[in-house]
Amino acid sequence: MPSPDDQTSHRIRDKTKDGSEQAGELRSAFRALHGPPSSQRPLSFGFAPLLERIASYWWVELLIGVLWMVIAVVVLKFNHASVTTVGILTGLMFLLFAAEDFLLAFLDHGARWLWAIFGMLMTAAGIVALIHPRNTFAAFADILGFVFLVIGIQWMIQAFAERAINSLWWLALISGILMTGLAFWVSGQFYLTRAFTLLVFAGVWAMTNGIIAIVRAFAIREFGQRLRRPFAP
């Protein structure tokens, strides 16, 4: 009759084996999506039904990409609708930051009240931006140099932070340096130039998000098709 210690050892080995099998299943899913055709093997892992269900909603990502492209076209028209659109996008951005702050308040018990205060401030700013989008655009254009400076510094810090895992980290570094230079250039320009620069930046940003979302949608669709069809051994 096995001793309690032997039973405990068997349970630990079983749990370790189960964890290794799940990790292998995830690696197989990743290879099925990103690997070459010769490396694709039959998908027998337990995550396949869940991944197939998620991939069936690839059209949602496609609609999001099309929406971003429509927003880019509206912004790049450089009219009153462009100004209103940028103000609305700013309000939605503030509300997204507010949601992240409230989530951090729920997770971080030590600094809960601090995150909650930030969340309430971001919520108030988002609501005001949605109510007065044109005034929001004007205020955003006034501080555009500072905003670009913050973005440039963030990109440079992120580049060095990802240096060990991202072979293209230098692209983010160059982008951060260029954004920092653009920040100093914009700060010395008149309001109309800053407003025009803000519209161009917002339009290009929206178009980039649209292209990325559309490409991602078709990648998800292809992944779902790989899950449904049999693979050659």
Side-chain angles (χ1 to χ4, degrees):
M1 181 176 180
S3 63
D5 294 336
D6 294 336
Q7 294 177 356
T8 303
S9 300
H10 285 304
R11 285 196 294 268
I12 293 176
R13 284 196 295 269
D14 292 339
K15 291 181 179 179
T16 304
K17 182 178 180 181
D18 294 339
S20 301
E21 291 177 353
Q22 293 177 356
E25 292 170 356
L26 288 176
R27 286 193 295 269
S28 299
F30 184 83
R31 283 195 298 268
L33 178 59
H34 299 283
S38 59
S39 67
Q40 295 170 354
R41 296 179 298 179
L43 298 179
S44 59
F45 48 88
F47 289 100
L50 177 61
L51 293 176
E52 183 177 352
R53 184 181 306 173
I54 295 174
S56 64
Y57 292 98
W58 64 272
W59 54 272
V60 176
E61 188 74 16
L62 179 62
L63 291 179
I64 293 174
V66 173
L67 178 61
W68 275 118
M69 297 299 291
V70 172
I71 291 174
V73 171
V74 173
V75 171
L76 293 176
K77 283 184 175 180
F78 305 109
N79 53 21
H80 292 291
S82 303
V83 173
T84 303
T85 302
V86 173
I88 292 175
L89 287 177
T90 304
L92 294 177
M93 180 183 65
F94 281 136
L95 293 179
L96 178 61
F97 290 156
E100 293 179 353
D101 289 335
F102 286 129
L103 179 60
L104 290 173
F106 177 76
L107 297 176
D108 188 2
H109 298 284
R112 172 176 297 176
W113 294 109
L114 180 62
W115 293 117
I117 292 174
F118 282 141
M120 288 185 290
L121 291 176
M122 290 294 178
T123 301
I127 293 174
V128 172
L130 292 177
I131 295 176
H132 304 288
R134 293 187 180 181
N135 293 338
T136 301
F137 175 86
F140 208 62
D142 283 333
I143 61 171
L144 187 60
F146 174 75
V147 173
F148 281 179
L149 179 62
V150 172
I151 294 175
I153 294 175
Q154 179 184 355
W155 285 356
M156 288 188 288
I157 294 175
Q158 183 179 356
F160 285 110
E162 296 179 353
R163 184 176 181 180
I165 60 175
N166 186 6
S167 59
L168 299 177
W169 63 274
W170 53 273
L171 289 177
L173 178 61
I174 294 176
S175 300
I177 295 174
L178 293 177
M179 183 61 72
T180 303
L182 182 61
F184 287 103
W185 177 81
V186 169
S187 298
Q189 302 301 316
F190 292 106
Y191 172 79
L192 290 179
T193 304
R194 292 198 301 269
F196 178 79
T197 304
L198 176 57
L199 288 177
V200 172
F201 180 79
V204 172
W205 176 70
M207 184 175 296
T208 302
N209 282 338
I211 295 174
I212 293 175
I214 292 174
V215 173
R216 186 187 298 119
F218 285 105
I220 295 173
R221 179 174 177 265
E222 182 182 358
F223 180 50
Q225 292 176 349
R226 291 180 182 179
L227 289 174
R228 287 190 293 270
R229 67 171 181 255
F231 294 105

